[in-house]
Short mmCIF file of all heavy atoms in Angstrom, two decimals:
data_model
loop_
_atom_site.label_atom_id
_atom_site.label_comp_id
_atom_site.label_asym_id
_atom_site.label_seq_id
_atom_site.Cartn_x
_atom_site.Cartn_y
_atom_site.Cartn_z
N PRO A 1 -39.28 -65.16 55.21
CA PRO A 1 -40.41 -65.59 56.05
C PRO A 1 -39.99 -66.55 57.16
O PRO A 1 -40.58 -66.53 58.24
CB PRO A 1 -41.36 -66.27 55.05
CG PRO A 1 -40.53 -66.61 53.88
CD PRO A 1 -39.46 -65.57 53.81
N GLY A 2 -38.98 -67.39 56.91
CA GLY A 2 -38.51 -68.29 57.95
C GLY A 2 -37.93 -67.53 59.13
O GLY A 2 -38.17 -67.87 60.30
N PHE A 3 -37.16 -66.49 58.84
CA PHE A 3 -36.54 -65.68 59.90
C PHE A 3 -37.61 -64.94 60.70
O PHE A 3 -37.58 -64.93 61.94
CB PHE A 3 -35.56 -64.70 59.27
CG PHE A 3 -34.73 -63.95 60.26
CD1 PHE A 3 -33.94 -64.62 61.18
CD2 PHE A 3 -34.71 -62.56 60.27
CE1 PHE A 3 -33.15 -63.93 62.09
CE2 PHE A 3 -33.93 -61.87 61.17
CZ PHE A 3 -33.16 -62.54 62.09
N PHE A 4 -38.56 -64.33 60.01
CA PHE A 4 -39.61 -63.58 60.72
C PHE A 4 -40.54 -64.52 61.49
O PHE A 4 -41.02 -64.16 62.57
CB PHE A 4 -40.39 -62.71 59.75
CG PHE A 4 -39.70 -61.42 59.41
CD1 PHE A 4 -39.03 -61.27 58.21
CD2 PHE A 4 -39.69 -60.37 60.29
CE1 PHE A 4 -38.37 -60.10 57.90
CE2 PHE A 4 -39.05 -59.18 60.01
CZ PHE A 4 -38.39 -59.04 58.80
N LEU A 5 -40.80 -65.70 60.95
CA LEU A 5 -41.62 -66.66 61.69
C LEU A 5 -40.92 -67.07 62.98
O LEU A 5 -41.56 -67.19 64.04
CB LEU A 5 -41.90 -67.89 60.82
CG LEU A 5 -42.74 -69.00 61.47
CD1 LEU A 5 -44.12 -68.47 61.84
CD2 LEU A 5 -42.85 -70.20 60.54
N ALA A 6 -39.61 -67.29 62.91
CA ALA A 6 -38.85 -67.64 64.11
C ALA A 6 -38.88 -66.50 65.12
O ALA A 6 -39.00 -66.73 66.33
CB ALA A 6 -37.41 -67.98 63.74
N LEU A 7 -38.78 -65.25 64.63
CA LEU A 7 -38.80 -64.09 65.53
C LEU A 7 -40.17 -63.89 66.16
O LEU A 7 -40.27 -63.31 67.24
CB LEU A 7 -38.41 -62.83 64.76
CG LEU A 7 -36.93 -62.70 64.38
CD1 LEU A 7 -36.71 -61.42 63.58
CD2 LEU A 7 -36.04 -62.72 65.61
N ILE A 8 -41.21 -64.36 65.50
CA ILE A 8 -42.56 -64.25 66.06
C ILE A 8 -42.85 -65.40 67.02
O ILE A 8 -43.31 -65.19 68.15
CB ILE A 8 -43.61 -64.20 64.93
CG1 ILE A 8 -43.45 -62.92 64.11
CG2 ILE A 8 -45.03 -64.30 65.50
CD1 ILE A 8 -44.31 -62.88 62.86
N VAL A 9 -42.56 -66.62 66.59
CA VAL A 9 -42.90 -67.80 67.38
C VAL A 9 -42.03 -67.88 68.64
O VAL A 9 -42.55 -68.12 69.74
CB VAL A 9 -42.74 -69.08 66.53
CG1 VAL A 9 -42.90 -70.32 67.39
CG2 VAL A 9 -43.75 -69.08 65.40
N GLY A 10 -40.73 -67.69 68.49
CA GLY A 10 -39.83 -67.82 69.64
C GLY A 10 -40.15 -66.87 70.77
O GLY A 10 -40.51 -67.30 71.88
N PRO A 11 -40.06 -65.56 70.56
CA PRO A 11 -40.42 -64.61 71.63
C PRO A 11 -41.87 -64.73 72.07
O PRO A 11 -42.19 -64.52 73.24
CB PRO A 11 -40.15 -63.25 70.99
CG PRO A 11 -39.12 -63.52 69.95
CD PRO A 11 -39.47 -64.87 69.40
N GLY A 12 -42.78 -65.06 71.12
CA GLY A 12 -44.19 -65.21 71.51
C GLY A 12 -44.39 -66.32 72.53
O GLY A 12 -45.12 -66.16 73.52
N LEU A 13 -43.72 -67.45 72.31
CA LEU A 13 -43.81 -68.55 73.27
C LEU A 13 -43.18 -68.17 74.60
O LEU A 13 -43.67 -68.56 75.68
CB LEU A 13 -43.13 -69.79 72.70
CG LEU A 13 -43.84 -70.49 71.54
CD1 LEU A 13 -42.99 -71.63 71.01
CD2 LEU A 13 -45.21 -71.01 71.98
N ALA A 14 -42.09 -67.40 74.55
CA ALA A 14 -41.43 -66.97 75.79
C ALA A 14 -42.35 -66.07 76.61
O ALA A 14 -42.40 -66.19 77.84
CB ALA A 14 -40.13 -66.25 75.46
N ILE A 15 -43.08 -65.19 75.94
CA ILE A 15 -44.01 -64.31 76.66
C ILE A 15 -45.14 -65.13 77.28
O ILE A 15 -45.54 -64.90 78.43
CB ILE A 15 -44.56 -63.24 75.70
CG1 ILE A 15 -43.43 -62.30 75.25
CG2 ILE A 15 -45.68 -62.44 76.37
CD1 ILE A 15 -43.84 -61.33 74.16
N LEU A 16 -45.68 -66.09 76.53
CA LEU A 16 -46.74 -66.94 77.07
C LEU A 16 -46.25 -67.74 78.27
O LEU A 16 -46.98 -67.91 79.26
CB LEU A 16 -47.25 -67.89 75.98
CG LEU A 16 -48.05 -67.26 74.84
CD1 LEU A 16 -48.40 -68.31 73.79
CD2 LEU A 16 -49.32 -66.59 75.37
N ALA A 17 -45.01 -68.24 78.19
CA ALA A 17 -44.48 -69.04 79.29
C ALA A 17 -44.28 -68.21 80.55
O ALA A 17 -44.24 -68.76 81.65
CB ALA A 17 -43.15 -69.67 78.87
N TRP A 18 -44.15 -66.89 80.41
CA TRP A 18 -43.96 -66.02 81.56
C TRP A 18 -45.28 -65.76 82.30
O TRP A 18 -45.28 -65.41 83.47
CB TRP A 18 -43.36 -64.70 81.08
CG TRP A 18 -42.88 -63.80 82.18
CD1 TRP A 18 -41.70 -63.86 82.84
CD2 TRP A 18 -43.59 -62.68 82.71
NE1 TRP A 18 -41.61 -62.86 83.75
CE2 TRP A 18 -42.77 -62.11 83.70
CE3 TRP A 18 -44.83 -62.09 82.47
CZ2 TRP A 18 -43.14 -60.98 84.44
CZ3 TRP A 18 -45.20 -60.99 83.20
CH2 TRP A 18 -44.37 -60.43 84.17
N LEU A 19 -46.38 -65.95 81.59
CA LEU A 19 -47.68 -65.67 82.19
C LEU A 19 -48.05 -66.76 83.20
O LEU A 19 -47.61 -67.90 83.10
CB LEU A 19 -48.75 -65.58 81.10
CG LEU A 19 -48.56 -64.45 80.08
CD1 LEU A 19 -49.62 -64.52 79.00
CD2 LEU A 19 -48.57 -63.09 80.77
N PRO A 20 -48.88 -66.43 84.21
CA PRO A 20 -49.25 -67.42 85.24
C PRO A 20 -50.01 -68.59 84.63
O PRO A 20 -50.75 -68.46 83.66
CB PRO A 20 -50.15 -66.60 86.18
CG PRO A 20 -49.82 -65.17 85.91
CD PRO A 20 -49.44 -65.10 84.47
N GLY A 21 -49.82 -69.77 85.21
CA GLY A 21 -50.56 -70.95 84.83
C GLY A 21 -50.01 -71.71 83.65
O GLY A 21 -50.63 -72.67 83.18
N LEU A 22 -48.86 -71.29 83.13
CA LEU A 22 -48.28 -71.97 81.96
C LEU A 22 -46.90 -72.54 82.30
O LEU A 22 -45.96 -72.44 81.51
CB LEU A 22 -48.19 -71.00 80.78
CG LEU A 22 -49.52 -70.54 80.19
CD1 LEU A 22 -49.31 -69.52 79.09
CD2 LEU A 22 -50.32 -71.72 79.66
N LYS A 23 -46.79 -73.14 83.46
CA LYS A 23 -45.52 -73.70 83.89
C LYS A 23 -45.09 -74.86 82.99
O LYS A 23 -43.90 -75.08 82.75
CB LYS A 23 -45.63 -74.18 85.34
CG LYS A 23 -44.31 -74.67 85.92
CD LYS A 23 -44.47 -75.05 87.38
CE LYS A 23 -43.13 -75.52 87.96
NZ LYS A 23 -43.26 -75.89 89.39
N VAL A 24 -46.07 -75.61 82.47
CA VAL A 24 -45.73 -76.73 81.58
C VAL A 24 -45.04 -76.23 80.32
O VAL A 24 -44.04 -76.81 79.86
CB VAL A 24 -47.01 -77.51 81.22
CG1 VAL A 24 -46.70 -78.60 80.19
CG2 VAL A 24 -47.63 -78.14 82.46
N LEU A 25 -45.56 -75.14 79.75
CA LEU A 25 -44.93 -74.56 78.57
C LEU A 25 -43.53 -74.07 78.89
O LEU A 25 -42.60 -74.24 78.09
CB LEU A 25 -45.79 -73.41 78.04
CG LEU A 25 -45.23 -72.64 76.83
CD1 LEU A 25 -45.04 -73.57 75.65
CD2 LEU A 25 -46.15 -71.48 76.47
N ARG A 26 -43.37 -73.50 80.06
CA ARG A 26 -42.05 -73.01 80.47
C ARG A 26 -41.04 -74.16 80.55
O ARG A 26 -39.93 -74.05 80.04
CB ARG A 26 -42.17 -72.30 81.81
CG ARG A 26 -40.85 -71.82 82.38
CD ARG A 26 -41.05 -71.21 83.76
NE ARG A 26 -39.77 -70.82 84.30
CZ ARG A 26 -39.17 -69.66 84.05
NH1 ARG A 26 -39.74 -68.81 83.24
NH2 ARG A 26 -38.00 -69.37 84.57
N ASN A 27 -41.42 -75.23 81.19
CA ASN A 27 -40.52 -76.38 81.32
C ASN A 27 -40.20 -76.99 79.95
O ASN A 27 -39.08 -77.44 79.71
CB ASN A 27 -41.14 -77.44 82.22
CG ASN A 27 -41.28 -76.97 83.67
OD1 ASN A 27 -40.52 -76.10 84.11
ND2 ASN A 27 -42.23 -77.52 84.40
N LEU A 28 -41.20 -76.98 79.06
CA LEU A 28 -40.98 -77.51 77.73
C LEU A 28 -39.96 -76.66 76.96
O LEU A 28 -39.07 -77.18 76.29
CB LEU A 28 -42.30 -77.57 76.96
CG LEU A 28 -42.23 -78.08 75.51
CD1 LEU A 28 -41.74 -79.52 75.48
CD2 LEU A 28 -43.59 -77.96 74.84
N LEU A 29 -40.09 -75.34 77.08
CA LEU A 29 -39.18 -74.45 76.37
C LEU A 29 -37.75 -74.57 76.89
O LEU A 29 -36.79 -74.34 76.16
CB LEU A 29 -39.66 -73.01 76.49
CG LEU A 29 -40.93 -72.66 75.71
CD1 LEU A 29 -41.30 -71.21 75.93
CD2 LEU A 29 -40.73 -72.93 74.23
N LEU A 30 -37.60 -74.91 78.17
CA LEU A 30 -36.26 -75.06 78.72
C LEU A 30 -35.57 -76.30 78.17
O LEU A 30 -34.34 -76.36 78.08
CB LEU A 30 -36.33 -75.14 80.25
CG LEU A 30 -36.68 -73.84 80.98
CD1 LEU A 30 -36.84 -74.09 82.46
CD2 LEU A 30 -35.60 -72.79 80.72
N ALA A 31 -36.36 -77.31 77.77
CA ALA A 31 -35.78 -78.56 77.29
C ALA A 31 -35.76 -78.66 75.77
O ALA A 31 -34.94 -79.37 75.19
CB ALA A 31 -36.56 -79.75 77.85
N LEU A 32 -36.66 -77.93 75.11
CA LEU A 32 -36.86 -78.11 73.67
C LEU A 32 -35.73 -77.58 72.80
O LEU A 32 -35.38 -78.23 71.81
CB LEU A 32 -38.18 -77.45 73.26
CG LEU A 32 -38.73 -77.81 71.87
CD1 LEU A 32 -38.94 -79.31 71.76
CD2 LEU A 32 -40.03 -77.06 71.62
N PRO A 33 -35.13 -76.41 73.08
CA PRO A 33 -34.14 -75.86 72.15
C PRO A 33 -32.98 -76.79 71.84
O PRO A 33 -32.59 -76.95 70.69
CB PRO A 33 -33.65 -74.60 72.86
CG PRO A 33 -34.80 -74.18 73.69
CD PRO A 33 -35.43 -75.48 74.15
#
């Protein structure tokens, strides 16, 4: 479950960050890892 949760959360956040109006999330993802 840990591996699948990471595979869901990680790419899911990346897709959201690509959408318009979520520049804050994008900048956070660039610094968070």
Side-chain angles (χ1 to χ4, degrees):
F3 188 57
F4 279 102
L5 179 61
L7 288 178
I8 294 172
V9 172
L13 290 175
I15 294 172
L16 290 176
W18 190 82
L19 298 176
L22 293 176
K23 185 176 180 180
V24 175
L25 177 60
R26 176 184 178 84
N27 293 334
L28 179 62
L29 290 179
L30 289 174
L32 194 58

